[in-house]
Amino acid sequence: MKILLCPLSDGGYLYPALAAGRELRRRGHHVSVLARSSAGPVVAEAGLPCAVAEAFGGHRAFSATWWGKTGAAQYRAILRAARAARADLLVTSVLCNGALLAAETLDVPVVVVGLSVHLWDYRSGGDGEPHLGRTRESRTRDSLELHAATREEVGLAGRASRWEDDPLLGDALLLRGDRALEYPDAELPERVRYVGPLAWEPAPEQGEWEAVEDHLERTGTGKPVVYVHLGRFFGGRTLWPRLNEAFTGGPFQAVVEQGRSTDPRPAPEADILLVRKPWMGPFVDAADLVLANGTSAPVLSALLRGRPLVLSPNGSEQPLLTGACVRAGVAVRDPKTPSVDLSALLECVSRDEGLRTRARALGDRLAAVDGAARAADIVERAAQASATPKENHEYAISRPR
């Protein structure tokens, strides 16, 4: 089978797709990747061939920053690349309307790699779920409206889709989390499956991590490390004033991965090492705890290593995942108010053995799942289901595993 991976090219979306792609290649399938040029070295390290998105008209179409505005360009780029690769199946990221619509036009199955939690409405239950940010109903409505608008833009409006019941899920949507991160009485849609973290990332270059360790030993005066992973702010408050206060003269030193945030402002006197790396595992291994905005990649990395979390959400899925982690007892939410001292909050979390124990237990469950194998199984079943006679097709793709 010929499979085209066409996820967003940002690490949090690209790396899980590469984990699944590597397993599919191991099973003998021909796997290629459509990604922006800057992601080429990472795709090469994963051992997969890369088609450059810009060469297919996909400028900005595979960037998480532009995902809501470039669906039509993404659609056209995937059509061209999939036809060139003679792809039998697509694997994409959640939020990639262009890939979903390209699969419709090509009449091939598409499997969606999701986040660590389900973003949209449950099939049933979840009515009592508190909302830190937008409601599921609001998020689902807006996502469907954007999908419909993109369908119209590319000329597919009015055309029947085999996913009329929920076009956002494709033939299957793979959640990288655990049942504990969903609301207790909620039932997921039939085509949603748990596959675990799909953990893969590029390795540090020779001597790269050793240089970081040396810096921390020379400047940190033995203080324990907090790994800080900053995502997009979505118009929310920047954490930098609180970071500078917490890590100046306090009990911790910080390694701050600025991620997709902008305008870093570490104070000269603060115990802060600012980095921008395509990997985070060694940082989390060296850390006592993790402070993040609440995106899937740092949360899963922390849990896999049994690290408790302090989460300071802004927009997108950040409030939803933060609420899930607080409910599971593996994280504390930063209220981002002047009355709460961040340094004291970090100390409290560091000393909380209950938080640490629950984080280890959830991490052990996540680590026990062979996510790549499970994802590859689902991809293969989606391909088999698409080849069944039309009268059996809907039944075949909707049965639970």
Side-chain angles (χ1 to χ4, degrees):
M1 180 166 54
K2 295 180 179 178
I3 300 168
L4 178 66
L5 307 184
C6 47
L8 296 174
S9 294
D10 303 75
Y13 298 92
L14 175 63
Y15 297 174
L18 292 177
R22 284 161 56 89
E23 172 62 16
L24 287 161
R25 185 196 59 176
R26 189 192 69 78
R27 295 184 181 195
H29 300 294
H30 184 278
V31 181
S32 57
V33 185
L34 179 64
R36 64 177 184 250
S37 56
S38 59
V42 170
V43 175
E45 182 167 343
L48 299 173
C50 183
V52 177
E54 291 89 339
F56 292 90
H59 178 64
R60 288 182 173 174
F62 297 89
S63 168
T65 302
W66 295 91
W67 74 267
K69 303 174 183 177
T70 57
Q74 183 184 91
Y75 166 80
R76 289 187 289 268
I78 293 173
L79 276 185
R80 294 170 185 141
R83 284 169 174 157
R86 303 176 69 85
D88 302 303
L89 180 143
L90 306 180
V91 175
T92 190
S93 302
V94 70
L95 306 177
C96 286
N97 288 314
L100 296 172
L101 298 173
E104 282 192 39
T105 297
L106 296 164
D107 194 24
V108 299
V110 57
V111 173
V112 181
V113 179
L115 304 173
S116 52
V117 289
H118 187 55
L119 288 176
W120 300 301
D121 285 339
Y122 289 125
R123 180 164 51 170
S124 63
D127 298 331
E129 182 182 25
H131 305 286
L132 294 178
R134 301 173 61 189
T135 64
R136 287 185 184 273
E137 181 182 15
S138 170
R139 188 182 294 107
T140 302
R141 183 183 63 249
D142 288 355
S143 297
L144 289 171
E145 287 177 355
L146 180 58
H147 182 270
T150 309
R151 280 189 112 238
E152 184 171 359
E153 186 178 357
V154 302
L156 295 180
R159 174 176 166 172
S161 165
R162 68 174 180 266
W163 314 302
E164 290 296 336
D165 60 323
D166 197 336
L168 303 174
L169 306 180
D171 289 281
L173 185 142
L174 314 181
L175 286 186
R176 295 185 281 130
D178 182 270
R179 176 69 232 183
L181 297 178
E182 303 297 337
Y183 199 67
D185 70 343
E187 186 176 0
L188 291 166
E190 287 187 359
R191 300 200 305 277
V192 177
R193 305 283 187 267
Y194 291 111
V195 298
L198 289 176
W200 181 88
E201 65 178 18
E205 295 181 5
Q206 185 174 4
E208 194 175 12
W209 170 243
E210 290 75 13
V212 172
E213 282 186 308
D214 181 64
H215 176 91
L216 294 175
E217 290 175 2
R218 285 187 290 104
T219 63
T221 62
K223 294 179 179 179
V225 173
V226 175
Y227 178 61
V228 183
H229 190 100
L230 298 180
R232 293 176 63 194
F233 289 118
F234 296 100
R237 293 182 181 178
T238 174
L239 269 176
W240 276 110
R242 290 171 62 74
L243 293 178
N244 285 328
E245 182 179 2
F247 296 109
T248 299
F252 297 101
Q253 59 178 320
V255 174
V256 180
E257 168 57 63
Q258 62 186 88
R260 287 185 282 130
S261 65
T262 57
D263 195 21
R265 299 181 181 180
E269 66 275 14
D271 291 323
I272 291 175
L273 172 63
L274 183 67
V275 299
R276 184 181 284 277
K277 302 291 186 183
W279 42 266
M280 71 177 78
F283 290 124
V284 181
D285 286 334
D288 187 62
L289 62 131
V290 172
L291 168 62
N293 288 125
T295 52
S296 289
V299 167
L300 291 173
S301 185
L303 292 175
L304 284 170
R305 293 162 173 82
R307 303 300 191 267
L309 290 141
V310 176
L311 298 177
S312 183
N314 287 309
S316 188
E317 88 277 16
Q318 296 174 13
L320 185 65
L321 181 52
T322 296
C325 288
V326 170
R327 191 169 57 243
V330 298
V332 170
R333 183 190 177 202
D334 171 25
K336 295 191 280 191
T337 61
S339 61
V340 176
D341 179 78
L342 181 58
S343 179
L345 181 62
L346 294 171
E347 280 195 86
C348 182
V349 170
S350 179
R351 294 195 301 264
D352 191 327
E353 284 304 318
L355 269 175
R356 200 173 294 275
T357 298
R358 290 187 292 273
R360 286 172 181 154
L362 181 51
D364 287 345
R365 283 208 306 275
L366 290 166
V369 176
D370 188 344
R374 188 172 291 184
D377 288 345
I378 293 168
V379 168
E380 290 176 334
R381 284 204 301 275
Q384 292 164 4
S386 72
T388 60
K390 293 297 182 183
E391 60 269 21
N392 297 327
H393 183 75
E394 182 179 354
Y395 175 83
I397 66 174
S398 64
R399 301 306 302 161
R401 184 177 179 182

